[in-house]
Amino acid sequence: MKRFEYSCATAPEQAAQSASVKDASFIAGGTNLLDLMKLEIETPVKLVDITRLALAQIEKTTDGGLRIGTLVTNSDLAAHPEVIANYPVLSRAILAGATGQLRNRATTGGNLLQRTRCYYFYQTDSACNKRKLGSGCPAINGENRTLAILGTSESCIAQHPSDMAVAMRSLDATIETLKTDGSMRKIAIKDFYCLPKDTPHTENVLESGELITHVVLPAPVSGMHTYDKVRDRASYAFALVSCAAIIDVTDNGRLDTVRLAFGGIGTEPWRNEAVEALLTGTDGNENVIKQAADLLLKEAKGSGQNDFKIPLTRRLLKQVIQRALVAGKGA
């Protein structure tokens, strides 16, 4: 591990200012960053410890939503009574990822920023455009079974790894940040991540030193909340394909609210509102589901080993819709 400067912030403004130097990083749980530093994939010249900031609270908002501090651990967020009662898709997504020990350390803000698990990204003797722009993407013609089929480019096909972020995408979360000049901004999660295009090393819209302070959820959405995760083993594995779904069914068996966000298939948490609009108001018959899957996967591109994700996503979409319809009839 390369040497670095360490400082401990006692206020958010101090943290942002301290991290304004080039190649500085914030550290909280460190569940991803420390691994990257040990491998010298990330080599920050300065670490700003934010664990002493008063940002570990979950509060109700005036409009009935939740405001979640960036330092709230994954364990505490998944177990919070308001989350279990009103945002169960989020609780289920968090519990589907990582071990209990990691969830005890991993933070809300850090989870949103975790980096891909592409083999070549972690293999430092290999080319990787995320690590060194212009060096190439050997994954496109190499070991790509777990990698993305949507949002990819000629420069990168790395998948986004987070389960929690997929659920946050389905909930229309807003990310609140503090910039180095003391100003604050609110970023809709749909605008937070960047597609790789020809700059895969830029993964989100945060500026240098900009600190995530809170994640805000709007008022709860009624309906069936589920998180389905297809993976290579029963527990503690990253998603091959996952789906965070919020679906409400009317008394006459029609799909009313439909929200579908997917993990494992995209270079960012993947949601297509046009697919949701197509399904809304229908009876969810097989023909409609096929049309929805066709639209969702219209621009999907397999790279060989990950071609199976296309039919697998179709089956998962069908499974989620049909389960919601059955649950609606029984309600």
Side-chain angles (χ1 to χ4, degrees), residues 233-256:
R233 57 181 188 267
S235 63
Y236 312 138
F238 292 98
L240 295 172
V241 182
S242 66
C243 181
I246 305 172
I247 303 173
D248 203 11
V249 179
T250 63
D251 292 340
N252 62 355
R254 299 215 161 242
L255 300 171
D256 189 8

Side-chain angles (χ1 to χ4, degrees), residues 64-310:
L66 281 186
R67 191 165 186 250
I68 304 159
T70 193
L71 295 179
V72 173
T73 66
N74 286 185
S75 291
D76 287 346
L77 184 57
H80 194 277
E82 285 288 336
V83 175
I84 293 172
N86 296 318
Y87 306 93
V89 65
L90 177 57
S91 182
R92 290 169 182 167
I94 293 171
L95 293 176
T99 64
Q101 293 94 329
L102 284 174
R103 292 197 300 267
N104 288 342
R105 291 294 301 168
T107 61
T108 299
N111 191 293
L112 294 174
L113 299 176
Q114 65 177 297
R115 307 197 68 187
T116 185
R117 262 57 183 186
C118 174
Y119 308 128
Y120 298 97
F121 177 68
Y122 277 84
Q123 190 171 315
T124 54
D125 60 351
S126 166
C128 174
N129 283 322
K130 277 187 178 294
R131 282 189 283 102
K132 184 179 180 181
L133 188 61
S135 64
C137 179
I140 292 175
N141 297 309
E143 297 294 323
N144 53 47
R145 182 173 179 274
T146 64
L147 303 186
I149 58 173
L150 287 168
T152 61
S153 72
E154 294 301 315
S155 296
C156 184
I157 61 170
Q159 86 284 30
H160 191 277
S162 173
D163 292 296
M164 187 194 80
V166 176
M168 291 289 195
R169 182 69 179 88
S170 73
L171 292 166
D172 287 329
T174 298
I175 298 164
E176 295 183 345
T177 69
L178 176 68
K179 298 170 72 173
T180 57
D181 63 3
S183 63
M184 302 186 72
R185 67 167 170 161
K186 298 180 180 181
I187 309 165
I189 194 167
K190 67 182 180 67
D191 300 321
F192 183 73
Y193 295 104
C194 301
L195 295 176
K197 298 182 180 178
D198 58 357
T199 55
H201 61 300
T202 302
E203 298 177 356
N204 57 65
V205 299
L206 291 178
E207 299 174 4
S208 177
E210 189 169 6
L211 172 68
I212 295 175
T213 59
H214 297 86
V215 177
V216 179
L217 303 180
V221 178
S222 62
M224 180 192 78
H225 285 226
T226 63
Y227 188 74
D228 289 63
K229 183 176 180 179
V230 182
R231 46 193 162 180
D232 281 326
R233 57 181 188 267
S235 63
Y236 312 138
F238 292 98
L240 295 172
V241 182
S242 66
C243 181
I246 305 172
I247 303 173
D248 203 11
V249 179
T250 63
D251 292 340
N252 62 355
R254 299 215 161 242
L255 300 171
D256 189 8
T257 299
V258 180
R259 295 192 186 186
L260 301 166
F262 293 86
I265 61 173
T267 54
E268 62 179 38
W270 202 263
R271 184 176 170 191
N272 187 327
E273 283 85 351
V275 172
E276 299 170 1
L278 188 155
L279 289 164
T280 302
T282 72
D283 62 359
N285 62 65
E286 292 209 17
N287 184 53
V288 171
I289 294 174
K290 181 182 181 302
Q291 292 177 40
D294 288 344
L295 181 57
L296 173 66
L297 297 164
K298 181 179 179 181
E299 297 182 3
K301 182 180 179 181
S303 299
Q305 294 179 3
N306 65 353
D307 291 351
F308 74 96
K309 287 192 175 189
I310 296 175

